Amino acid sequence: MGIFSRFKDIVSSNINAMLDRAEDPEKLIRLMIREMEETLVELKAACARTMAECRRLGREGEEAERQVALWDRRAELALGSGREDLAREALLERRRATEHVEALARETEECEALVARTQEDMDVLEQKLVTAREKQRLLAQRHVHARARRQAREESRRAASFDVMERFETMERRVEHMEAEADAVRVPRSGGAGGVFADLETRDAIERDLAALRQRMGRDG
């Protein structure tokens, strides 16, 4: 692809739209910046060559103008000497030199116009490059901020998870404490002084019931 074709593609490109469509915007912007920088270097080199060509045409034009003046003097000299034949030849050479001057002037004008257009192209490309570098800076900042936000979310999730586990463990300890308190106040079914007295009372009642049974049977007998 030629330098000016690449320049046309770069200038006509919409950086924002390209970045929106890209799967990896940071990689794309790096490639775009490199392409712009390379194209700018080539534009500057082309402009330098064109300017050198303009200077060469200018020098050649000056030499052609000197030739016009020279043949004009020779025509005057020949005519003054009565040599119309030499005067005619001199005038013919002067005409040729004049035509050459005019042709060089047109080439010089086109060359200078090309230099001007190339310099305008470089200005446009440099502005595009400034925009691209600003986009690159903003993308880098967004990447840093996105990474920081993701890390903050991960830490928040971990903290929330730890908090839930801590609350669960606290509740579990409370339940265990309540169970221990319930066990501590529970009345034992047997054993201890209360249990002994209860057994004695039960045996006394049984003995009374047995005596009453014997008495009733004695009467029956």
Side-chain angles (χ1 to χ4, degrees):
M1 182 184 295
I3 176 176
F4 290 102
S5 297
R6 290 205 309 276
F7 167 76
K8 183 178 179 182
D9 291 341
I10 291 172
V11 171
S12 63
S13 64
N14 187 321
I15 295 177
N16 291 330
M18 294 177 69
L19 293 178
D20 290 340
R21 293 194 302 268
E23 295 182 1
D24 189 347
E26 290 186 81
K27 180 179 179 180
L28 176 60
I29 199 70
R30 285 196 301 270
L31 293 175
M32 291 176 65
I33 289 174
R34 186 174 67 185
E35 181 73 12
M36 290 179 185
E37 290 173 340
E38 292 175 353
T39 303
L40 185 59
V41 169
E42 294 184 28
L43 277 175
K44 289 181 177 180
C47 186
R49 290 192 298 269
T50 306
M51 292 174 69
E53 178 65 12
C54 289
R55 288 192 294 270
R56 184 191 67 78
L57 290 170
R59 291 191 300 269
E60 191 172 343
E62 291 173 357
E63 177 60 27
E65 288 176 354
R66 285 192 290 271
Q67 290 295 316
V68 170
L70 174 63
W71 288 111
D72 188 60
R73 290 194 303 270
R74 285 178 176 177
E76 290 178 356
L77 178 61
L79 186 60
S81 300
R83 295 290 306 271
E84 291 186 0
D85 55 335
L86 289 178
R88 291 188 181 92
E89 291 181 6
L91 290 173
L92 179 60
E93 291 298 329
R94 188 188 70 173
R95 178 176 293 276
R96 290 172 179 169
T98 301
E99 291 175 352
H100 188 45
V101 168
E102 293 172 352
L104 289 172
R106 289 192 296 272
E107 289 186 43
T108 302
E109 183 179 356
E110 292 174 359
C111 184
E112 291 174 348
L114 179 58
V115 169
R117 287 196 301 272
T118 305
Q119 289 175 337
E120 290 176 359
D121 290 345
M122 288 191 296
D123 291 340
V124 172
L125 185 55
E126 285 175 345
Q127 185 58 46
K128 278 275 187 176
L129 191 53
V130 169
T131 301
R133 285 172 176 161
E134 178 64 15
K135 290 291 182 184
Q136 185 183 40
R137 185 184 67 82
L138 293 175
L139 283 173
Q141 288 182 349
R142 288 171 56 189
H143 180 76
V144 171
H145 294 163
R147 185 168 55 191
R149 289 197 301 270
R150 183 176 62 186
Q151 183 176 357
R153 286 197 300 270
E154 291 175 354
E155 291 176 355
S156 177
R157 284 197 296 270
R158 287 198 297 269
S161 176
F162 292 153
D163 184 55
V164 169
M165 292 302 297
E166 184 178 355
R167 289 201 299 268
F168 180 79
E169 291 174 357
T170 299
M171 186 178 298
E172 188 177 20
R173 287 194 296 269
R174 287 180 181 177
V175 171
E176 291 176 350
H177 181 70
M178 292 173 63
E179 290 176 343
E181 288 181 343
D183 290 339
V185 300
R186 186 178 299 159
V187 178
R189 294 181 179 178
S190 61
V196 172
F197 285 112
D199 290 341
L200 289 175
E201 291 174 353
T202 301
R203 282 198 296 271
D204 288 343
I206 290 174
E207 290 298 328
R208 286 194 298 274
D209 290 341
L210 181 61
L213 178 61
R214 286 173 179 165
Q215 184 178 4
R216 190 176 63 249
M217 291 178 67
R219 287 198 303 268
D220 294 337

